[in-house]
Amino acid sequence: MTMKRSKWGALAAVGVLVMAFGWLIYGGLDSNVVYFLTPKELAAKGVEGMDKPVRLGGQVKPGSVVWDEKALDLRFTVTDGTSEIAVHSKGAPPQMFKDGQGVVIEGRYGKDSVFKSTSLMVKHSNEYKAPEKGERPSEMYKSLMKSSGS
Amino acid sequence: MSRNDTTQFGPPRPAPAWLGWGALLFFLFTQVYAVVTSPADAMMGHLQKILYVHVPSAWVTFAAFGVVLVASIHFLWKEDERADLLAAASAEVGAMFCGLTLIQGMLWGRPTWGVWWSWDARLTSTLVLFLIFVGYLALRSFVEDPHRRGQWSAAVGILGAINVPIVWMSVRWWRTLHQIQSDPREVAPVFLRGWLLNVAAFSLIAVWFIWKRYEAARYERAAEHAAQAAALGGNNG
């Protein structure tokens, strides 16, 4: 009898813990943790979203990339299809950075409407494709190795 | 004292050596096969090869913690010590593969994303999963009484295993740097074969590891019971 009661007690305790834990995870994470803002969301925040550390995510607008190799100065535009934000970054971008690529940028959105990047990350897709004819993935590989070795 | 302690079950069935050797040879074959047969990926070149260890490690992590969940519930319900020992063995193997998954992911992230680490929901939840099971293993070594150890660690094991679906869904529930799961239809067949073969090979290795650890745990527990009986002076119970 006592054995039975302790078993049910233990199960009830686990049940309560599980529910508390689940509530923490769902209630807490879901509303608070937004890993990055889209250009539209950041722009909608107006002055409130400016001059504080945020992450901005979207695609590199094709044709917008201006890269000064000598000054290691990179300017491009991030778009979510509806809004766009100009980004200014120092240093060489990751090797997979290119037109149309998904990116997440850490930094601050300045009063001059330029997003100053402190860290530029490339988001890659979940697809794996063999290279098409004419593409040279082996060179990509070499340059990747070089950059990650530095 | 629990009603069903392991002394009444006799010695455990030993993990057959052929399973261990077979798993190792199969793993070596699938690794070589996957690397040799797949071309460079169109986007990331040969860095794609990390797929063949990263994804199988993650899969084995999830499966091992799934075993912890089932065995822990079974232990709380039936108070069968063997279930507690199976949960402990699986938690150990799962924690090891979870750590491997994190390290492989970091090695992959640096050259592709540009960073070793970022606090997105997938990476953070995976780290939490890892830490919970490191805590689980630490807890086991702190609690002296086997029955209480089993109950406490079952509670932690169940809580920890609840994280598995959260880690799995994190890339869909929240915005993350980590990409969503690859649908096999989105993976070119030339990559897919090596991927699935390696999932099978890693699974076999995990089965071998868990079985071997479980076997050892049974003998440890038998020794524990013997020592307890000796301390009580002769007859057990």
Side-chain angles (χ1 to χ4, degrees), chain A residues 3 7-8 11 18 21 25 30 35-36 41 94 96 101 121-124 126 128-129 131 137 140 144, chain B residues 40-44 47 76-77 79 108 111 113 118 120 162-163 175-177 179-182 186 188:
Chain A
M3 190 64 92
K7 187 206 284 181
W8 286 110
L11 280 176
V18 163
F21 196 71
I25 295 279
D30 209 27
Y35 180 63
F36 60 78
E41 287 164 351
M96 281 172 66
Q101 184 72 41
M121 297 175 278
V122 166
K123 209 169 140 57
H124 74 79
N126 55 320
Y128 297 92
K129 288 195 193 100
M140 172 97 191
L144 273 168
Chain B
D41 176 69
M43 273 296 294
M44 62 175 83
L47 283 170
L76 288 181
W77 200 257
E79 302 193 344
W108 206 356
W113 298 341
S118 184
D120 83 343
I162 287 168
N163 270 276
R175 289 174 189 166
T176 52
L177 180 60
Q179 70 276 22
I180 59 167
Q181 299 90 0
S182 296
E186 290 159 338

Side-chain angles (χ1 to χ4, degrees), chain B residues 107-155:
Chain B
L107 293 175
W108 206 356
R110 180 61 184 81
T112 49
W113 298 341
V115 289
W116 296 103
W117 186 265
S118 184
W119 294 101
D120 83 343
R122 169 52 77 80
L123 276 60
T124 308
S125 61
T126 310
L127 182 64
V128 168
L129 184 68
F130 176 68
L131 293 177
I132 288 176
F133 278 95
V134 170
Y136 174 99
L137 295 171
L139 174 70
R140 293 193 71 89
S141 63
F142 287 138
V143 185
E144 289 251 331
D145 174 31
H147 191 63
R148 183 158 294 174
R149 182 199 305 149
Q151 285 185 326
W152 289 4
S153 51

Side-chain angles (χ1 to χ4, degrees), chain A residues 18-69:
Chain A
V18 163
M19 277 189 282
F21 196 71
W23 179 79
L24 271 178
I25 295 279
Y26 293 96
L29 274 186
D30 209 27
S31 55
N32 296 327
V33 178
V34 177
Y35 180 63
F36 60 78
L37 297 172
T38 63
K40 191 178 178 182
E41 287 164 351
L42 184 57
K45 284 195 162 208
V47 182
E48 208 185 301
M50 287 174 169
D51 284 330
K52 58 175 76 162
V54 286
R55 292 194 194 92
L56 172 67
Q59 271 81 48
V60 179
K61 189 185 176 189
S64 71
V65 179
V66 181
W67 168 233
D68 183 340
E69 205 169 331

Side-chain angles (χ1 to χ4, degrees), chain B residues 8 20 44 60-61 67 77 92 117 142 151 183 202-203 219 226:
Chain B
Q8 73 194 63
M44 62 175 83
V60 165
T61 303
V67 173
W77 200 257
E92 211 171 276
W117 186 265
F142 287 138
Q151 285 185 326
D183 187 309
F202 273 69
S203 303
Y219 284 117

Side-chain angles (χ1 to χ4, degrees), chain A residues 9-139:
Chain A
L11 280 176
V14 170
V16 169
L17 275 171
V18 163
M19 277 189 282
F21 196 71
W23 179 79
L24 271 178
I25 295 279
Y26 293 96
L29 274 186
D30 209 27
S31 55
N32 296 327
V33 178
V34 177
Y35 180 63
F36 60 78
L37 297 172
T38 63
K40 191 178 178 182
E41 287 164 351
L42 184 57
K45 284 195 162 208
V47 182
E48 208 185 301
M50 287 174 169
D51 284 330
K52 58 175 76 162
V54 286
R55 292 194 194 92
L56 172 67
Q59 271 81 48
V60 179
K61 189 185 176 189
S64 71
V65 179
V66 181
W67 168 233
D68 183 340
E69 205 169 331
K70 281 202 185 107
L72 293 175
D73 189 89
L74 178 68
R75 285 175 187 276
F76 60 97
T77 305
V78 168
T79 175
D80 54 19
T82 51
S83 301
E84 6 186 276
I85 284 180
V87 177
H88 182 206
S89 170
K90 287 277 184 188
Q95 289 291 315
M96 281 172 66
F97 178 87
K98 61 174 171 47
D99 275 359
Q101 184 72 41
V103 287
V104 176
I105 313 134
E106 291 178 345
R108 288 162 193 268
Y109 190 33
K111 292 251 170 15
D112 55 356
S113 294
V114 174
F115 192 92
K116 286 238 178 342
S117 155
T118 53
S119 172
L120 170 57
M121 297 175 278
V122 166
K123 209 169 140 57
H124 74 79
S125 90
N126 55 320
E127 298 177 16
Y128 297 92
K129 288 195 193 100
E132 307 274 320
K133 264 189 186 156
E135 281 181 339
R136 303 284 295 276
S138 55
E139 284 176 15

Side-chain angles (χ1 to χ4, degrees), chain B residues 53-75:
Chain B
V53 288
H54 182 65
V55 178
S57 297
W59 149 251
V60 165
T61 303
F62 295 158
F65 292 156
V67 173
V68 174
L69 176 71
V70 173
S72 297
I73 292 172
H74 185 79
F75 173 74

